[in-house]
Structure formats: structure tokens, C-alpha cells
């Protein structure tokens, strides 16, 4: 798997830029993904989405459905796309260090 | 000289059917020659490496694409199917080989000018290979690299006024039969409705918000040329309410042999002289047709609009004038709990711009399924899990005999508490007063 270097830190990622392991997630990773996913400024709302995804994943072992993410954070899907232009899967889940979404995408 | 030897694939160049191998080789040769001096943005030998990896799969009898792939364009959650080769050193030309879905026009009518523009774009920024079209309807661009995705999207939208199709847990690209464009059976303008609903629900198409995928398909009549009843969660099938229009002179022309049955569809074999009794009247599923004094009579209130008689004698029989469509829901492929075809929900609904009545049915269903649907549960499975009755409740449709093929044969019948005098709150002591232990 390829390695990316960001501000002196190294991360192992797959072709789509998802981190190899949930455990290797760090604040630097968040900053790295921000630079990749068309996000100018990290706001509290970004943080809220990321921490919700991490909490949900730790508790349930899967990423939440979009509807659950909206409900818990209170952000409409449209707003989530404003925060994460690639959307909740490719954008937010990547930043949160969750495994790559699978299935018939 | 080709980059990889492909002895197995080469065998698929013989035979009469157009060979995809010959075509890909032709594109590979054209890219190698590059007569137009194109500055190819992905490897020139992508087509050759595709043939190479395919040959390897023919040898191994296994796929050589890695699992999944999440790529896309900013603002959208779908439209691009990411794909990476699992032998990138051997086949660097297809190390990235993403597929882009492009929303096709209604009925798939094109001008060469438009197709040339698409091809020019794809030649420069992709492999030059396509699928015309994906089963859901999209124009499919097969094979490009991640950095080209935004470039292609920019040019599609800015120069070609053309959007992506759908993928993921969302509304997939709707598609339609050719409809009124050139079919006398069309009971409504399938292309107009397909286009209107595609535009109306762009948000649902581009940004996955559903428990799972959801498809629309629009058929002009029950012949179902786009197979909506089998391949869409919500199937819109044209139908009429009044009488089939009969041209008795043309009926005589069929009987006399001047007009060929089924518009000559069976001309390849001698089936004997046309016999209206045998080929039409006796085959009518409701037996609601007969000849009376040399004239064809149809008891229209018993007709179930199967299309058979109209299909056999298109010059003599025409669909009625009071037209609309039926909505069927829940079709899906086998995974997870078995294949389903659409079940009748709305027997007849008028098709009138701006289609508010139809949108209401759609949105009621979405509200219910988005709330109640489990992760990756198709509408058809939710209907099985919560019951058809629940679907009727959320859509505000009264149950009617047309909703079933036959009534249930088991007696496990649920009642609502308010329907039962006295309700469910009972006191066992009260019961014991009359029934000793």
C-alpha cells in the first residue's frame, strides 16, 4: 500500500486515500484529509461530524447510515456536503479514519 | 505488434457477431497511431493493458480487479465507480480504471454532433472505451484515472451541458422506453415524465441519502420495453381506462391476409394463414373478445390490457383515449431475500404536467422507506418486512381487490385495536368469573 507524507508524518493509505487502520488515526491525519478533500477551514461542525462518526464506529463497528448521521448531528445532508464536498462517505468517513465504504457504490 | 499476447481473446474475433475484442484492438491501434496528435491524459496503452488483464483473467478464471474503490467529484456522492487493477506493475495502463456514469437522454436519441463531442472528451481524458449503455440506462465511460475525474466533470458540465448519472444508495439514473417518440402503443409521454422526474430529483440522484439504491423506470404500455416491472423499485407502466379502438375494415384486412399479423414479426417461418380465432380470440387471457356478424367485439370491462390483441393487429386495434399509468413497486434482484417484480400499488393515475399526483406517491414512499428502511434494504424488502398494508397506509391508498393476485390463505390476520370492540385490555379475573380454572 502507498505511503503519504504530510508535515513530517507518514501514513499508510490505499489507492483512494483511506487510512490503513482506524488505530493510526490522529489529528495530523485530519489535517492531511482536509488538504485532500477540498476543505478550506476546519470548523467545529467538521469536528462534530468526525467525532460522531468515530463514536458510532467504536460502539457499533460500522459507519452510521446517512440518516443517522443527519439525525445525531442535526446537520441536513445538504449541509454535510457543504462541510465535506465529497460527501459523508468519501469525505467525512475518510477524515474520521473509518474503513472505506463498500458495496454497490 | 500488440503489447500482450492474447491467444484466448483472439478466438473471440471469429464468428459473425460484432467482436468486442476486435473493437478494443482497433481502439488500441488508433491510440498507438494517434493520427490527430492528441495529448492523451491517461496511458496511451490503456486498451492494450485492458486486453492483457482480461487475457490473464481468462487464464486464471478469476477477476483481477481489486475490491471496491471510492472516488468521485466534489459535491456529489456518486456517479463514478472506482476500480484498480490487482496487477498494476504488469498492467500499468489500467492501474486506475474508473468508470463514469453519464446521464443519458430519454429514449437514447442522439445527434452525431453530441456523440462526437462526448467521444472527443473521452478520447483525450479516458480510455476511449464505453458501454452504450449500462443496464440502468447511463452512458458509461469505461476506464480513466482519478486526476481526470474533475477534469471530465468540468468539461461535461461546462461544454456539453451534461451531468453524471447516479450510483450508491440513492436514486439511480431513471430510464424510459422510446414512448410516444415512435410507438403508437404509448399511453403517456414516457420521455417527458422521465426527464421531469430526473430533473426534479437531482439532489436525491447525486447525493446518497437513502437506505439503499432506488430506481425509476417508465414504460409506455404493458409490453414493458424498458422492463420497469422487473428492474425498478418504482415502475410506471402506461395503461388506458376506456375501450380499445377497433377499425373493423382493418380487422377484415388481417383476416383476408392483406395485413400481416404482429406486423410481420413471425415472417421468418410459415405459420399458415392468419386465424383470428386461434391467434387472437382464443389467446385472450380474459376471453372477452368474439366475432359477431363478421365484426370483432371486445367486452372492454373484462379486458385486462395485456396488449396481445393490439400487438397482433396493430393496424386494427388501438389503445383507448382515456390514458394514464399504473405504478408498481418493489422490484429487485435476488440479494438479500429473493427476487421480486413490481407489485401493483396504483392501478391508474393521470399523467399531467407537472405530475404532482405522481410525485406525491413517490415522496410518500420515500418518507416511509427513508425512515423505516434498514441499512441496505430495498423497498421491496421493506414491503415484505412491514407489510403491503403499511405501504398502503403511508401512501394514503385504500386497499382494493386489484392489490392482490389472490387473497391470503392463512388466518394469521392482524387487527388494529380500535377495530375490535373492547380493545386489548382485558382482566383475567373477569374471564375467571365465567370460566373456572
Amino acid at each position: 500500500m502507498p505511503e503519504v507524507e504530510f508535515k513530517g508524518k507518514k501514513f499508510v493509505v490505499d489507492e483512494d486515500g483511506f487510512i490503513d487502520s482506524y488505530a493510526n488515526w490522529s489529528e495530523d491525519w485530519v489535517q492531511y484529509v482536509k488538504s485532500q478533500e477540498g476543505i478550506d477551514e476546519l470548523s467545529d461542525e467538521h469536528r462534530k461530524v468526525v467525532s460522531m462518526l468515530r463514536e458510532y464506529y467504536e460502539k457499533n463497528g460500522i459507519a452510521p447510515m446517512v440518516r443517522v448521521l443527519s439525525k445525531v448531528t442535526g446537520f441536513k445532508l445538504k449541509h454535510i456536503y457543504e462541510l465535506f464536498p465529497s460527501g459523508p462517505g468519501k469525505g467525512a468517513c475518510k477524515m474520521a479514519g473509518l474503513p472505506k465504504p463498500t458495496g454497490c457504490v | 505488434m500488440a503489447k500482450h499476447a492474447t491467444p484466448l481473446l483472439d478466438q473471440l474475433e471469429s464468428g459473425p457477431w460484432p467482436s468486442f475484442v476486435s473493437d478494443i484492438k482497433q481502439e488500441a491501434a488508433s491510440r498507438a497511431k494517434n493520427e490527430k496528435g492528441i495529448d492523451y491524459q491517461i496511458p496511451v496503452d490503456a486498451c492494450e493493458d485492458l486486453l492483457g488483464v482480461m487475457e490473464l483473467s481468462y487464464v486464471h478464471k478469476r477477476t483481477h480487479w481489486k475490491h471496491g474503490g471510492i472516488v468521485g467529484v466534489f459535491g456529489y456522492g456518486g456517479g463514478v465507480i472506482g476500480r484498480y487493477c490487482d496487477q498494476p506493475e504488469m498492467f500499468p495502463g489500467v492501474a486506475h480504471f474508473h468508470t463514469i456514469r453519464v446521464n443519458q437522454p430519454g429514449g437514447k436519441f442522439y445527434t452525431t454532433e453530441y456523440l462526437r463531442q462526448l467521444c472527443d472528451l473521452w478520447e483525450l481524458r479516458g480510455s476511449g472505451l464505453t458501454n452504450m449503455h449500462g443496464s440502468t440506462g447511463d452512458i458509461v465511460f469505461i476506464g480513466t484515472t482519478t486526476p481526470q475525474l474533475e477534469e471530465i466533470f468540468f468539461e461535461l458540465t461546462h461544454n456539453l451541458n451534461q451531468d453524471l448519472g447516479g450510483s450508491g444508495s440513492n436514486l439511480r439514473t431513471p430510464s424510459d422506453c422510446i414512448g410516444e417518440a415512435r410507438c403508437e402503443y404509448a399511453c403517456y409521454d414516457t420521455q417527458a415524465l422521465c426527464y421531469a422526474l430526473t430533473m426534479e430529483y437531482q439532489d436525491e440522484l447525486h447525493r446518497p441519502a437513502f437506505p439503499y439504491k432506488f430506481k425509476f423506470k417508465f414504460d409506455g404500455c404493458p409490453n414493458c420495453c424498458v422492463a420497469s416491472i422487473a428492474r425498478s423499485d418504482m415502475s410506471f407502466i402506461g395503461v388506458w381506462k376506456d375501450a380499445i379502438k377497433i377499425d373493423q375494415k382493418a380487422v377484415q384486412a388481417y383476416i383476408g391476409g392483406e395485413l400481416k399479423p404482429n406486423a410481420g414479426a413471425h415472417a421468418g417461418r410459415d405459420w399458415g394463414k392468419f386465424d383470428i380465432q386461434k391467434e387472437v380470440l382464443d389467446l385472450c387471457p380474459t376471453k372477452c373478445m368474439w366475432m359477431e356478424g363478421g365484426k370483432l367485439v371486445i367486452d372492454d370491462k373484462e379486458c385486462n390490457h395485456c396488449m396481445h390483441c393490439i400487438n397482433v393487429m396493430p393496424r386494427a386495434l388501438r389503445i383507448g383515449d382515456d390514458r394514464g399509468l399504473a405504478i408498481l413497486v418493489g422490484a429487485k434482484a435476488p440479494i438479500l431475500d429473493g427476487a421480486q417484480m413490481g407489485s401493483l400499488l396504483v392501478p391508474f393515475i393521470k399523467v399531467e404536467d407537472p405530475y404532482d399526483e405522481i410525485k406525491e406517491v413517490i415522496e410518500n414512499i420515500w418518507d416511509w422507506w427513508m425512515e423505516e428502511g434498514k441499512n441496505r434494504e430495498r423497498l421491496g424488502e421493506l414491503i415484505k418486512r412491514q407489510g403491503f398494508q403499511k405501504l398502503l397506509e403511508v401512501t394514503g391508498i385504500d386497499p382494493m381487490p386489484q392489490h392482490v393476485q389472490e387473497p391470503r390463505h392463512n388466518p394469521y390476520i392482524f387487527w388494529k385495536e380500535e377495530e375490535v370492540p373492547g380493545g386489548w385490555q382485558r382482566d383475567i379475573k373477569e374471564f375467571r368469573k365465567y370460566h373456572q380454572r
Side-chain angles (χ1 to χ4, degrees), chain B residues 151-330:
Chain B
E151 307 287 340
I152 291 162
F153 185 56
F154 182 93
E155 289 192 35
L156 274 178
T157 49
H158 288 73
N159 305 336
L160 277 78
N161 194 23
Q162 174 62 63
D163 207 339
L164 298 184
S167 72
S169 291
N170 58 7
L171 174 64
R172 301 296 184 84
T173 315
S175 62
D176 49 16
C177 75
I178 208 160
E180 288 177 347
R182 52 174 306 168
C183 177
E184 64 268 39
Y185 302 160
C187 299
Y188 67 98
D189 190 342
T190 53
Q191 296 187 41
L193 182 59
C194 182
Y195 181 77
L197 294 184
T198 304
M199 298 308 272
E200 173 83 15
Y201 298 120
Q202 281 290 293
D203 222 31
E204 285 75 8
L205 194 155
H206 293 307
R207 286 173 278 279
F210 291 165
Y212 205 10
K213 62 179 112 171
F214 197 96
K215 298 180 185 180
F216 287 157
K217 278 187 169 54
F218 304 88
D219 276 309
C221 79
N223 281 327
C224 270
C225 291
V226 75
S228 67
I229 194 170
R231 296 192 189 147
S232 61
D233 297 85
M234 243 180 131
S235 157
F236 301 85
I237 303 177
V239 72
W240 65 94
K241 255 200 326 197
D242 54 347
I244 292 174
K245 289 184 279 185
I246 309 173
D247 176 348
Q248 297 292 352
K249 251 165 109 184
V251 173
Q252 290 309 316
Y254 277 105
I255 294 170
E258 296 97 77
L259 292 173
K260 297 273 161 268
N262 290 88
H266 306 297
R269 193 177 148 184
D270 184 8
W271 293 90
K273 193 176 174 296
F274 176 63
D275 180 345
I276 192 166
Q277 184 69 41
K278 199 171 125 206
E279 294 176 40
V280 181
L281 308 188
D282 289 351
L283 293 180
C284 172
T286 62
K287 300 283 183 293
C288 67
M289 310 177 80
W290 62 91
M291 299 300 288
E292 212 168 276
K295 287 198 160 172
L296 178 67
V297 184
I298 302 176
D299 181 6
D300 282 281
K301 70 178 193 304
E302 296 298 331
C303 167
N304 68 1
H305 312 96
C306 79
M307 297 297 294
H308 179 72
C309 58
I310 299 179
N311 286 338
V312 176
M313 304 191 291
R315 293 276 290 273
L317 301 178
R318 307 235 160 202
I319 57 172
D321 288 326
D322 187 4
R323 300 169 190 173
L325 58 78
I327 303 179
L328 293 85
V329 293

